[in-house]
């Protein structure tokens, strides 16, 4: 995979849709030249991918998009987050550096060596992280120009049991965790999500994961960009740690479609 543009894909939605379903962590693909810099043997790497991958989330997003009255746009990472994690800060601002999981991971979910401690991740940042960030930014800009607003819904999953890498994993682990940002998550968007996902046994806010993804160009400065993170506890829809999806996936896709439809048509009420 030498073409950087092939490391992500933008699936066009309806011209008048403000919604972008962002799926950053669903892939297990690692290019061979990146694989060579990872110290794990193949079996151990597969186990790590089981733990770190938000399995089937791209399928949840795609299925939801098909069921929406106004089809959303989809921005999907085609590479594993073990290549680069596009949702980290690429510098010292990133708190996950404390456990070796900045933009380029050097440690595993169980805090074991993934890459040598002195690994220089800058090449991967330049090759993959920055082009990805630019492409997401462009996608948001296009929605702003076309519709006057953008709504980013970040689609993730997380394990039922806390993994050692989690810095804030001692709080509640509800079936659906909603990550909100004080500036970019309007009260109505959060309320819509709570309503849409009410049937899965409960929702919570910012626990065990908090915040949501907004391109830095707009972060904290442009209220036209709304955002919400959906973190689905994996036992709701799949066999853990990296097994097949179950019947919960279809219900989740319906719920996500309902949220997209509400977000597509609702006005924005600031918190």
């Amino acid at each position: 995979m030498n073409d950087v543009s092939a490391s992500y894909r933008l699936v066009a939605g309806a011209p008048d849709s403000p919604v972008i379903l962002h799926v950053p962590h669903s892939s297990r693909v690692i290019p061979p030249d990146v694989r060579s810099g990872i110290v794990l043997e193949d079996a151990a790497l597969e186990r790590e991918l089981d733990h770190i991958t938000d399995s089937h989330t791209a399928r949840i997003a795609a299925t939801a998009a098909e069921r929406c009255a106004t089809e959303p746009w989809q921005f999907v990472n085609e590479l594993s987050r073990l290549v680069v994690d596009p949702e980290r800060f690429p510098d010292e601002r990133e708190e996950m550096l404390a456990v070796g999981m900045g933009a380029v991971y050097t440690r595993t979910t169980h805090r074991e060596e993934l890459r040598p401690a002195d690994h220089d991740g800058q090449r991967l940042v330049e090759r993959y992280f920055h082009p990805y960030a630019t492409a997401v930014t462009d996608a948001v800009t296009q929605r702003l120009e076309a519709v006057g607003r953008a709504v980013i819904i970040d689609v993730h999953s997380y394990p039922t049991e806390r993994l050692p890498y989690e810095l804030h994993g001692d709080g509640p682990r509800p079936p659906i965790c909603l990550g909100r940002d004080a500036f970019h998550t309007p009260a109505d968007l959060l309320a819509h999500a709570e309503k849409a996902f009410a049937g899965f046994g409960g929702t919570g806010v910012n626990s065990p994961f908090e915040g949501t993804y907004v391109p830095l160009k707009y972060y904290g400065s442009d209220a036209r960009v709304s955002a919400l993170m959906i973190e689905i506890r994996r036992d709701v829809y799949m066999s853990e740690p990296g097994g097949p999806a179950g019947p919960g996936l279809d219900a989740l896709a319906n719920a996500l479609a309902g949220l997209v439809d509400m977000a597509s048509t609702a006005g924005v009420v600031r918190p």
Side-chain angles (χ1 to χ4, degrees):
M1 186 177 292
N2 295 319
D3 180 6
V4 171
S5 67
S7 67
Y8 53 81
R9 59 187 167 92
L10 177 64
V11 182
D16 59 344
S17 173
V19 178
I20 298 172
L21 296 178
H22 181 222
V23 188
H25 295 157
S26 65
S27 176
R28 296 172 69 100
V29 174
I30 302 174
D33 63 320
V34 179
R35 169 67 181 96
S36 66
I38 293 174
V39 303
L40 299 180
E41 295 184 355
D42 288 348
L45 178 57
E46 288 302 307
R47 287 195 297 272
E48 178 62 13
L49 286 167
D50 287 343
H51 290 297
I52 200 66
T53 305
D54 293 352
S55 299
H56 315 297
T57 49
R59 181 178 161 197
I60 292 172
T63 303
E66 293 173 354
R67 298 175 180 177
C68 292
T70 302
E71 186 173 359
W73 296 63
Q74 299 169 66
F75 196 102
V76 183
N77 188 2
E78 297 281 71
L79 297 181
S80 169
R81 63 197 292 190
L82 296 184
V83 180
V84 296
D85 190 332
E87 295 209 320
R88 302 287 200 243
F89 287 112
D91 52 37
E92 66 282 351
R93 290 173 292 176
E94 179 52 59
E95 69 169 355
M96 294 300 292
L97 285 170
V99 290
M101 300 179 83
V104 179
Y105 297 176
T106 58
R107 311 295 288 185
T108 71
T109 51
H110 290 73
R111 300 200 180 196
E112 298 168 351
E113 185 179 43
L114 179 74
R115 293 181 173 93
D118 61 353
H119 175 80
D120 182 3
Q122 192 58 35
R123 181 180 66 86
L124 293 178
V125 168
E126 294 295 336
R127 181 178 175 187
Y128 295 113
F129 184 97
H130 290 317
Y132 186 103
T134 297
V136 177
T137 302
D138 290 346
V140 172
T141 300
Q142 290 166 10
R143 293 301 85 216
L144 292 174
E145 292 175 348
V147 191
R149 64 188 182 102
V151 183
I152 304 167
I153 299 178
D154 218 17
V155 184
H156 292 259
S157 70
Y158 76 100
T160 304
E161 300 295 329
R162 179 181 184 175
L163 290 173
Y165 83 94
E166 295 179 27
L167 292 179
H168 309 290
D170 52 354
R173 303 180 81 84
I176 305 294
C177 164
L178 303 174
R180 71 177 295 270
D181 177 83
F183 183 85
H184 288 283
T185 307
D188 66 337
L189 181 58
L190 182 62
H192 290 330
E194 290 171 336
K195 179 179 179 180
F197 288 96
F200 296 93
T203 61
V205 177
N206 282 351
S207 178
F209 299 97
E210 66 179 45
T212 188
Y213 179 80
V214 176
L216 289 177
K217 177 179 178 180
Y218 298 109
Y219 183 70
S221 62
D222 195 331
R224 297 176 301 163
V225 180
S226 302
L228 179 74
M229 177 171 68
I230 309 295
E231 284 272 7
I232 305 163
R233 202 176 65 202
R234 291 176 187 158
D235 64 337
V236 173
Y237 73 97
M238 63 174 284
S239 298
E240 295 180 87
L249 186 146
D250 191 67
L252 286 164
N254 282 337
L256 182 57
L259 172 60
V260 170
D261 282 340
M262 285 186 278
S264 298
T265 59
V268 176
V269 178
R270 303 314 306 176

